[in-house]
Amino acid sequence: MSLLGQIDHLVVLMLENRSLDHMLGYLYTRQGNRSPSGQPYEGLTGKESNPDGQGGTVAVFPIDHTKPYAYFMPGADPGEGFVHTNRQLFGTGYPPSPAPGATNSGFVIDFAVALERRRREGSCVYPGTTPTDIMGCFTPQGLPVLSGLARGYAVCDHWYSSAPTETLPNRAFAHAATSLGCMDDHADVFHTRSIFRLLSERNVSWGVYGYNAQPLTRGHFPDSSHAPARHFGRFHDFTLAAAKGRLPAYSFLEPSWSPAGNSQHPNYDVAAGERFILDVYRALRSGPGWNKTLFVITYDEHGGCYDHVPPPAAVPPDDIPGEFGFDFRRFGLRVPTVLVSPLIEPGTVFRAPPGGPPLDHTSLLKTMGQRWGTPPLTARDEAAPGIGTVLTLERPRDDDPLSGVSAPVPTSVHPARASESSHLEEVHARLVARHRIPGGGIGG
């Protein structure tokens, strides 16, 4: 942990609803799923498959990023949430407790259910979308920014979402190490302590940045909604702070939640998210604090996208009964997580030490505790491994793995009407109406 003391800025960008296989499964397939340093990587072999519900099977396949609508794959919003996730893992939405071993064989069947519902609701479904499209996964050529950072710094092949459900409970775990038993997005306020209070109590600076609006995270916890306005801003404020060497110790970045935004939520434009990742990286790398920065790119949950690795057992955060009778003794699915710092050896595959819990969103909380002395919030982050040991270089690197790399150019725009809102835009509006988020300009 000695090199963690050289980090003055932890920056986290949390995007939306993609699995590890879907975004980075092909990262090292051509190299036999080994990094250049020889570390094993649990990616795709190309032989993974799922039953199609008609007596056949569907093999995983690489997405051809040159085709129309490629960056809108899987073409429709898959099923997400506890019941859909269970069906993807176990073949039934309500497995017994304790749950049997997951087979991850229900993705095609569940996507068929989701597709029928999206069409019935009149939601956006791209032309030609079929249930088999859920087995499509991006290649490094299709995602040059995310893949370039994963190869150029470190990728985590066993980082799990904190709960097998949708967005808001997982985002609550990222900052409070619990969702207070909530297992769906109907809960948008979590009346518990969060890392924001712990950092403030220790005079450790922090900031939360929405992309083009006041951040959604501001309204989730009492200690964030009542925090001074100086802790909040938009992406422009973040880039200015990075350029001037004024980043807080902890920065949390949100995307634009619009269907035309850069969150990468299926079926929004993945290319726009690539541009956002690149913009954050460039802002950090060109600033005076780069050598003392650890940048984490992650996703809140898998969002129904295919992954072949069953989630392992988890330490329950507390004794609060979960919705659907869930006991929080298992994680959600793997999500793409990339760790970026000039103190990281290129081509690193980073995992938790064997014999203990894997990495999950509460590993961010554990890392802040190891760096700035914040205590655990629940039993989950107390047991979680930190990420400080990914830093192995005493002298910062000066190379740029993304030199000459540009973000993909979107081939089309999301067809949502100008008046159409995303689910999380609606959550944001509710929190504004309840005065948990200011509805005005930057800083309130």
Side-chain angles (χ1 to χ4, degrees), residues 129-151:
T129 299
T130 69
T132 63
D133 288 336
I134 201 65
M135 300 300 289
C137 298
F138 286 98
T139 64
Q141 294 73 31
L143 301 181
V145 177
L146 185 64
S147 298
L149 293 173
R151 288 172 164 176

Side-chain angles (χ1 to χ4, degrees), residues 85 89-90 102 104 160-161 164 307 309-314 330-334:
T85 299
L89 291 173
F90 306 107
N104 293 44
Y160 296 85
S161 57
D307 195 79
V309 175
R330 52 186 169 91
F331 289 102
L333 282 96
R334 297 189 304 171

Side-chain angles (χ1 to χ4, degrees), residues 244-420:
K244 295 179 179 179
R246 296 178 182 172
L247 282 177
Y250 175 55
S251 298
F252 184 74
L253 295 168
E254 294 180 2
S256 164
W257 303 118
S258 164
N262 51 21
S263 73
Q264 297 188 327
H265 188 295
N267 55 352
Y268 306 165
D269 189 3
V270 171
E274 281 273 283
R275 165 55 62 187
F276 186 25
I277 295 169
L278 182 61
D279 287 345
V280 177
Y281 172 72
R282 293 284 183 230
L284 293 172
R285 197 177 186 282
S286 61
W290 169 240
N291 286 343
K292 294 182 177 294
T293 297
L294 175 55
F295 174 33
V296 181
I297 305 156
T298 191
Y299 292 71
D300 51 23
E301 47 121 344
H302 80 295
C305 296
Y306 175 72
D307 195 79
H308 77 280
V309 175
V315 174
D318 42 45
D319 57 2
I320 299 173
E323 294 177 311
F324 305 101
F326 184 59
D327 58 9
F328 292 93
R329 293 186 180 274
R330 52 186 169 91
F331 289 102
L333 282 96
R334 297 189 304 171
V335 291
T337 303
V338 174
L339 309 179
V340 177
S341 168
L343 300 180
I344 296 175
E345 189 79 30
T348 296
V349 178
F350 185 70
R351 301 174 178 174
L359 299 162
D360 83 307
H361 297 329
T362 66
S363 294
L364 301 170
L365 303 174
K366 185 56 162 281
T367 303
M368 284 185 264
Q370 292 168 337
R371 176 61 182 89
W372 293 298
T374 53
L377 285 157
T378 71
R380 175 67 68 83
D381 61 316
E382 184 173 27
I387 59 175
T389 53
V390 74
L391 309 168
T392 58
L393 300 178
E394 303 244 351
R395 178 174 296 180
R397 294 162 50 188
D398 59 6
D399 65 305
D400 181 2
L402 294 190
S403 177
V405 173
S406 58
V409 177
T411 55
S412 56
V413 297
H414 194 278
R417 297 181 296 274
S419 60
E420 189 173 331

Side-chain angles (χ1 to χ4, degrees), residues 28-282:
Y28 289 125
T29 300
R30 291 183 179 179
Q31 293 77 37
N33 280 319
R34 287 193 173 271
S35 74
S37 63
Q39 293 176 297
Y41 177 72
E42 193 154 5
L44 293 167
T45 66
K47 298 179 180 179
E48 296 81 5
S49 65
N50 254 209
D52 63 4
Q54 308 296 322
T57 59
V58 182
V60 69
F61 64 90
I63 295 169
D64 182 350
H65 67 278
T66 67
K67 289 187 175 180
Y69 307 119
Y71 287 107
F72 297 93
M73 285 285 281
D77 187 4
E80 57 182 287
F82 184 68
V83 175
H84 280 284
T85 299
N86 282 338
R87 189 182 292 119
Q88 293 152 14
L89 291 173
F90 306 107
T92 173
Y94 299 94
S97 184
T103 61
N104 293 44
S105 60
F107 282 89
V108 175
I109 294 170
D110 187 73
F111 192 43
V113 174
L115 264 179
E116 181 181 353
R117 177 181 175 184
R118 303 307 177 205
R119 289 182 168 123
R120 187 171 61 249
E121 295 171 337
S123 300
C124 172
V125 177
Y126 282 88
T129 299
T130 69
T132 63
D133 288 336
I134 201 65
M135 300 300 289
C137 298
F138 286 98
T139 64
Q141 294 73 31
L143 301 181
V145 177
L146 185 64
S147 298
L149 293 173
R151 288 172 164 176
Y153 295 99
V155 62
C156 302
D157 64 345
H158 283 276
W159 185 298
Y160 296 85
S161 57
S162 297
T165 189
E166 51 194 333
T167 289
L168 296 185
N170 276 294
R171 287 181 175 263
F173 265 92
H175 286 126
T178 181
S179 66
L180 299 179
C182 297
M183 286 296 291
D184 59 38
D185 281 357
H186 292 98
D188 51 31
V189 178
F190 302 89
H191 293 280
T192 186
R193 293 185 308 158
S194 75
I195 190 62
F196 305 119
R197 178 192 295 186
L198 300 186
L199 291 171
S200 293
E201 289 173 348
R202 284 152 186 80
N203 295 315
V204 178
S205 57
W206 58 272
V208 183
Y209 302 90
Y211 186 74
N212 53 1
Q214 281 289 309
L216 184 67
T217 304
R218 184 171 187 174
H220 287 334
F221 309 100
D223 47 35
S224 56
S225 62
H226 296 126
R230 67 176 181 273
H231 291 291
F232 306 97
R234 305 182 189 185
F235 186 57
H236 175 70
D237 302 293
F238 172 82
T239 58
L240 285 177
K244 295 179 179 179
R246 296 178 182 172
L247 282 177
Y250 175 55
S251 298
F252 184 74
L253 295 168
E254 294 180 2
S256 164
W257 303 118
S258 164
N262 51 21
S263 73
Q264 297 188 327
H265 188 295
N267 55 352
Y268 306 165
D269 189 3
V270 171
E274 281 273 283
R275 165 55 62 187
F276 186 25
I277 295 169
L278 182 61
D279 287 345
V280 177
Y281 172 72
R282 293 284 183 230

